[in-house]
Amino acid sequence: MKITISGSLGNVSKPLVQKLVASGHEVTVISSSSDRSEAIEALGAKPAIGSVSDVLFLEKSFAGADAVYVMTPPNMGGSNILANMTEAGNAFAKAIKNSDVKRVVMLSSIGADLPKGTGPIAGLYNIEKIYETLENTSITFLRAGFFYTNFYHDVPMIKGAGIIGSNFPASTVIPYVHPQDIATAVAEELEKTGSGKNVRYIVSDVRKPGDAAKVLGEAIGKPDLPWIEFTDEQALNGMAQAGLPEEIAGLYTEMGTGLKSGAIAEDFLKNKISVDGKIKLEDFAKEFALNF
């Protein structure tokens, strides 16, 4: 198959490229950075360098593809983030339609069934709705859990203050996922013929932040690492001090409140959807310790 994927060589896209090339597919990788061209070629894929907001570039990248994997970066600039995400989704949709792509897999998220109150995930809700209007294209909306790798953002807090936390309690039930498991699911979906518009959840483990603090803490030699629930104001201030733009910090804070209320995870949990991923929290903890 001829397959075009977006996301450059990120946490999901790199292992995805490796899986697809190993299976004998002809892979084109979209990246905004020409610096990635050599690394993409080294994996046995073809680089396509340009902007995901450029419809003509995307059409060229999709031309002749049997299947396309699309993902929209959550931080598209420091302001107007949801609007920018939505516009990138529109660009992808136009290119998919104009290139007559028949099979699409979109990286979405738990909580993308909700139009608001979910922070940056609301942008993915908008994009899902845009893609639903595409005719004659089979689409899988791959709704991923909360990335384990987000815990790497907490390393400075752990090292500096000896704590880990966010603006939701240790008892919050959260579906987590490892990027490797997402890559496996994307590869499976791209190779399917498919029909219509379908939702698939990809989750590696369902745990609580209190579990994460304990398991990660033990892995890094800090068995008493506590999970601290911050107020929204404390979370905002902490992200601002870390250098995040105000709008991004506000969206992440809103996502935290959505996790705290249970709204973001509700559709996955209430429907008792199976956990397809293989990499559990304890497995990720070993990886976390090596990179701590």
Side-chain angles (χ1 to χ4, degrees):
M1 293 175 65
K2 291 185 177 181
I3 299 174
T4 299
I5 74 168
S6 59
S8 191
L9 294 181
N11 289 335
V12 173
S13 297
K14 183 176 181 179
L16 174 59
V17 172
Q18 293 170 323
K19 290 175 184 294
L20 294 175
V21 170
S23 295
H25 299 297
E26 184 179 328
V27 182
T28 296
V29 180
I30 293 173
S31 177
S32 62
S33 175
S34 59
D35 293 342
R36 290 296 184 99
S37 293
E38 187 174 339
I40 291 169
E41 291 171 346
L43 293 177
K46 175 185 174 182
I49 307 302
S51 170
V52 295
S53 297
D54 183 341
V55 176
L56 292 179
F57 161 71
L58 291 175
E59 286 178 10
K60 183 178 179 181
S61 302
F62 294 166
D66 298 301
V68 169
Y69 163 67
V70 291
M71 62 86 62
T72 307
N75 296 339
M76 299 193 68
S79 61
N80 300 316
I81 294 166
L82 296 182
N84 292 343
M85 288 178 67
T86 303
E87 186 53 38
N90 272 315
F92 272 125
K94 289 176 183 177
I96 290 166
K97 180 180 179 180
N98 294 343
S99 302
D100 197 28
V101 176
K102 299 300 184 185
R103 179 71 179 134
V104 172
V105 178
M106 173 201 166
L107 180 60
S108 189
S109 171
I110 58 168
D113 55 303
L114 303 173
K116 60 182 180 179
T118 58
I121 300 172
L124 297 174
Y125 169 89
N126 294 341
I127 296 171
E128 283 197 15
K129 293 304 178 185
I130 292 168
Y131 289 178
E132 284 178 1
T133 67
L134 291 171
E135 299 178 354
N136 304 316
T137 301
S138 168
I139 302 177
T140 294
F141 301 113
L142 194 66
R143 292 182 182 168
F146 191 78
F147 281 35
Y148 288 134
T149 49
N150 287 333
F151 284 120
Y152 287 124
H153 298 313
D154 297 320
V155 169
M157 187 193 315
I158 296 170
K159 290 185 174 180
I163 61 173
I164 185 172
S166 191
N167 62 325
F168 45 88
S171 59
T172 307
V173 178
I174 299 178
Y176 290 99
V177 72
H178 194 285
Q180 289 276 0
D181 283 333
I182 298 175
T184 297
V186 173
E188 290 173 355
E189 293 297 326
L190 286 170
E191 292 172 338
K192 291 179 180 178
T193 302
S195 63
K197 310 297 187 286
N198 303 285
V199 172
R200 174 180 172 180
Y201 282 92
I202 178 63
V203 169
S204 302
D205 208 350
V206 180
R207 304 291 285 271
K208 299 176 181 178
D211 296 335
K214 183 177 186 298
V215 172
L216 297 180
E218 289 176 348
I220 60 174
K222 298 179 182 292
D224 296 323
L225 180 69
W227 178 273
I228 304 298
E229 180 185 359
F230 305 131
T231 65
D232 290 350
E233 183 178 7
Q234 288 171 330
L236 273 170
N237 291 339
M239 285 184 275
Q241 291 173 8
L244 281 181
E246 181 179 355
E247 184 176 330
I248 294 175
L251 287 171
Y252 283 157
T253 301
E254 182 179 85
M255 183 170 67
T257 62
L259 288 167
K260 179 178 181 177
S261 72
I264 289 177
E266 183 179 8
D267 187 65
F268 175 83
L269 295 174
K270 78 177 182 181
N271 288 299
K272 296 181 172 61
I273 297 167
S274 64
V275 175
D276 292 341
K278 307 301 181 186
I279 302 172
K280 304 306 176 186
L281 177 62
E282 285 75 10
D283 301 317
F284 170 71
K286 297 173 186 177
E287 174 187 321
F288 185 83
L290 290 173
N291 292 287
F292 182 71

